[in-house]
Amino acid sequence: MSAYDLNDNQCGPYGDASLEQLAFLVDEAARTACAIEQLSRRVHVTLPDAYEIQRQSIALRVMRGERLTGFKMGFTSKAKMHQMGVDDLIWGRLTDAMGIDDGGDLVLQNYVHPRVEPEICFLMKKPLSGKVTLLEALAAVEAIAPALEIIDSRYEAFRFSLQDVVADNCSSSGFVIGPWSKPDMDVSNLGMVMSVNGRDASLGSSAAILGHPARSLVAAARCLGEAGESLLPGQILLAGAATEAVALQGGQTIRLDVDQLGSTAFTVMAANHDD
Ligand code: OOG
Ligand code: MG
């Protein structure tokens, strides 16, 4: 059977669908930009199962030639928890294919219903995994940059349970990274302004990210350690959005300005007439 048949399958806690088939399902949805029904509406998926589905779905990308370039944290700010109705920290994986050049273009057709959110990005110089202090986390950082994350839930109406969003790689679908600064900068409370076509769309502070974005690094080390993974030198971590995400539409230029760190931007290519 194909993974799609699970919708009609009522037997057993997962019907006939294996975690491997569910991984295929979320990967296909991302690859073809085609929304699917929430897994939790049809099958019982535990949180460890959801992380295993995520792991296997990213393994499919790697098999197609993508390279793991780092990780992202989600729901590290109250604004995001409130917007999505989920209040647990989550983490996902980033690949090189998700990267968009600073100042580059996003092609709307490649996404289901993308949104953008303002973030801080860390570049690692030392491995980090397990229980670490804030100072240890900061000492493992090579550089810090302003970043925009493009999230695109593969579920209909951008609605999901905790397990659904984790299985769907925490909605990760793209990121744009601005100029790198030295890691000795105090990033605990920097003003962040995200604008759409020159108009302010959301205003926040890096302090909204767990009180200090480096706390997201501490949380990432702990979560990854529990999963037997680590942040490796040369990899990046997106610390999580400081404000709510904003829906993307063709023709928009999105720009993020972070005090002292500088800015980053991208443009959403307008959709074709027949879309
Ligand atoms: C889940 C991803 C959350 C963040 O920065 O909080 C996230 C979602 O909102 O779809 O990336
Ligand atoms: Mg995010």
Side-chain angles (χ1 to χ4, degrees):
M1 70 171 246
S2 91
Y4 293 95
D5 294 335
L6 75 96
N7 282 358
D8 297 315
N9 200 310
Q10 301 297 321
C11 51
Y14 297 100
D16 266 353
S18 62
L19 297 184
E20 193 182 354
Q21 286 172 316
L22 295 172
F24 174 80
L25 181 69
V26 291
D27 177 61
E28 266 309 276
R31 200 177 63 76
T32 59
C34 209
I36 53 172
E37 192 174 9
Q38 294 175 48
L39 304 184
S40 60
R41 295 247 173 100
R42 295 290 173 179
V43 292
H44 175 70
V45 178
T46 65
L47 195 56
D49 287 343
Y51 276 106
E52 180 56 20
I53 294 167
Q54 180 195 124
R55 193 190 67 74
Q56 291 190 23
S57 81
I58 300 303
L60 292 171
R61 286 176 177 249
V62 170
M63 266 162 34
R64 289 198 294 271
E66 295 183 30
R67 192 169 53 85
L68 188 75
T69 50
F71 298 89
K72 65 165 275 182
M73 294 302 287
F75 304 136
T76 50
S77 69
K78 289 208 168 65
K80 280 291 301 183
M81 289 181 192
H82 188 256
Q83 183 179 28
M84 303 316 297
V86 176
D87 56 9
D88 285 279
L89 293 187
I90 55 174
W91 62 274
R93 294 164 163 94
L94 302 174
T95 72
D96 56 347
M98 297 177 192
I100 294 172
D101 289 341
D102 191 6
D105 295 327
L106 174 147
V107 179
L108 205 52
Q109 287 93 324
N110 295 342
Y111 303 81
V112 183
H113 36 210
R115 297 178 179 178
V116 62
E117 48 191 28
E119 306 223 0
I120 299 287
C121 184
F122 294 101
L123 174 66
M124 307 310 296
K125 73 172 174 214
K126 292 188 204 156
L128 204 64
S129 184
K131 201 171 177 307
V132 297
T133 64
L134 195 69
L135 286 179
E136 284 165 345
L138 281 168
V141 172
E142 169 80 28
I144 310 179
L148 288 162
E149 184 183 22
I150 295 111
I151 53 169
D152 188 30
S153 175
R154 267 58 63 154
Y155 301 114
E156 290 160 358
F158 222 114
R159 293 182 64 116
F160 43 68
S161 69
L162 177 66
Q163 285 87 341
D164 288 324
V165 67
V166 165
D168 182 31
N169 197 28
C170 303
S171 310
S172 323
S173 60
F175 56 83
V176 188
I177 301 176
W180 292 107
S181 293
K182 292 206 172 81
D184 49 13
M185 182 173 295
D186 178 3
V187 294
S188 61
N189 187 11
L190 303 178
M192 297 173 71
V193 179
M194 187 168 74
S195 63
V196 179
N197 292 343
R199 289 194 176 180
D200 292 357
S202 53
L203 307 174
S205 157
S206 60
I209 305 164
L210 293 175
H212 187 316
R215 289 216 182 95
S216 180
L217 209 45
V218 172
R222 178 174 46 76
C223 296
L224 292 175
E226 284 165 6
E229 304 262 4
S230 339
L231 269 163
L232 297 174
Q235 288 188 335
I236 57 169
L237 178 81
L238 288 176
T243 71
E244 288 190 355
V246 170
L248 290 177
Q249 285 162 15
Q252 291 171 329
T253 291
I254 312 292
R255 180 184 160 110
L256 171 66
D257 287 279
V258 180
D259 283 349
Q260 296 180 58
L261 289 183
S263 67
T264 185
F266 67 94
T267 296
V268 186
M269 301 288 281
N272 292 335
H273 292 302
D274 53 350
D275 286 329

